[in-house]
Amino acid sequence: MEKIIVHAKFHTGHRQLGYPGECRFVHGHTWRGTVAISTEEFPRDELDMSLDFGHIKKIMRDLDHKILVTPNDATFMNPELFEPEGIVVMKGKGPSVENVAVYVWEHVVETIRAKYPGRNIDYRIEVTIQETENNFFVVEKNAVV
Ligand SMILES: [Zn+2]
């Protein structure tokens, strides 16, 4: 078994629309993300490298200094009120730590697919997102890419 582990840190704003507490107001977090990808044996490119660690890190770094939103946030989705390049739109009902982890997990799959299309290799992909000092969410599941 081989495993790649990549850490990244990113600062973002978000809000939980409809949440009955202060999380409904725009606030920021310094998130820490860890992506662990394992498989029996990674494919290698012409330099004997498996995946570019920088490409995995970039998925998380691209969230840095952005507002994370979901399509139901009419304020941030309105380009006349907020610069579109300043937001990252995620699936779901709110930019929760759960949806941030799923967003990263899905982009990891796309990054692998772009590098090694049509290989049908079974990967175990674990994405850990740390929202605060004490709160983590982990998505860990397989993808055949
Ligand atoms: Zn928050």
Side-chain angles (χ1 to χ4, degrees):
M1 188 68 83
E2 297 178 335
K3 184 181 267 192
I4 288 169
I5 300 174
V6 178
H7 297 296
K9 185 165 83 172
F10 48 99
H11 314 280
T12 75
H14 76 164
R15 64 176 173 172
Q16 305 296 343
L17 286 174
Y19 184 80
E22 59 188 10
C23 290
R24 72 183 187 275
F25 304 127
V26 175
H27 62 279
H29 293 286
T30 297
W31 310 74
R32 286 179 169 78
T34 300
V35 173
I37 309 165
S38 55
T39 190
E40 195 54 43
E41 185 174 359
F42 281 91
R44 304 289 203 269
D45 64 14
E46 62 279 0
L47 297 175
D48 260 355
M49 296 168 72
S50 53
L51 293 169
D52 190 323
F53 287 36
H55 292 167
I56 303 297
K57 190 175 297 180
K58 186 177 187 306
I59 295 166
M60 296 180 276
R61 292 290 304 158
D62 283 351
L63 303 177
D64 192 53
H65 283 73
K66 301 285 171 50
I67 302 282
L68 309 182
V69 303
T70 47
N72 57 330
D73 193 323
T75 303
F76 285 107
M77 292 297 291
N78 182 343
E80 293 180 7
L81 296 177
F82 199 81
E83 304 94 322
E85 64 271 27
I87 65 169
V88 174
V89 181
M90 319 203 139
K91 294 178 192 167
K93 300 182 185 115
S96 59
V97 65
E98 292 86 345
N99 284 340
V100 174
V102 168
Y103 172 93
V104 172
W105 190 94
E106 289 177 347
H107 282 73
V108 169
V109 172
E110 289 309 310
T111 300
I112 297 170
R113 182 173 290 128
K115 173 101 177 175
Y116 298 112
R119 298 288 184 100
N120 289 323
I121 295 172
D122 193 14
Y123 295 94
R124 186 77 176 168
I125 303 170
E126 180 182 334
V127 174
T128 303
I129 301 293
Q130 181 180 3
E131 184 175 40
T132 68
E133 185 181 357
N134 299 315
N135 298 348
F136 296 74
F137 189 80
V138 180
V139 174
E140 182 179 3
K141 53 186 181 174
N142 284 32
V144 177
V145 184

